[in-house]
Amino acid sequence: QVQLVESGGGSVQAGGSLRLSCAATASPYCMAWFRQVPGKEREGLATITRSGTTNYRDSVKGRFTISRDNSKNTLYLEMNSLKPEDTAMYYCAAGQGRRCVWQTPAPYDSWGEGTQVTVSS
């Protein structure tokens, strides 16, 4: 398994921006960002393969950008035009298989502890 540590969360007003980082101990084939609100299921946001192919959940497409620096084993999530409904704990995830999707957490066997994002109106 890959060890993952997120950072960059915080409090921001609606319309603001944040950049999340996830430091990894390796560079797996697929990395992803998820988020979770207490009492709700973990929600996939975006994925990126080692070669840079990305996919996004419709609700964040155009606002969030996932990227990675394989030389630094680091994953990023640039979040713009933040909304109060983006408030959640944000997690990075890594999977060794070739299934790189945001629709389910099933392919991912490594998770970080999370970083809190709070967006106020």
Side-chain angles (χ1 to χ4, degrees), residues 17 21 24-25 57 90 96:
S17 300
S21 299
T25 53
R57 184 183 199 90
Y90 283 68
Q96 298 298 334

Side-chain angles (χ1 to χ4, degrees), residues 35 60 63-64 80-88 90 117 119:
R35 67 186 179 191
V60 304
R63 298 191 300 126
F64 291 8
N80 298 313
S81 302
L82 283 163
K83 306 174 182 180
E85 52 264 43
D86 293 318
T87 295
Y90 283 68
V117 171
V119 184

Side-chain angles (χ1 to χ4, degrees), residues 35-43 84-91 115-118:
R35 67 186 179 191
Q36 190 169 22
V37 174
K40 293 191 176 181
E41 290 188 355
R42 195 163 290 192
E43 174 180 85
E85 52 264 43
D86 293 318
T87 295
M89 186 72 79
Y90 283 68
Y91 299 90
T115 185
Q116 177 69 36
V117 171
T118 302

Side-chain angles (χ1 to χ4, degrees), residues 74-106:
T74 303
L75 176 71
Y76 303 99
L77 185 69
E78 184 76 35
M79 304 187 295
N80 298 313
S81 302
L82 283 163
K83 306 174 182 180
E85 52 264 43
D86 293 318
T87 295
M89 186 72 79
Y90 283 68
Y91 299 90
C92 66
Q96 298 298 334
R98 292 288 174 173
R99 191 180 179 204
C100 199
V101 296
W102 53 261
Q103 289 87 344
T104 172

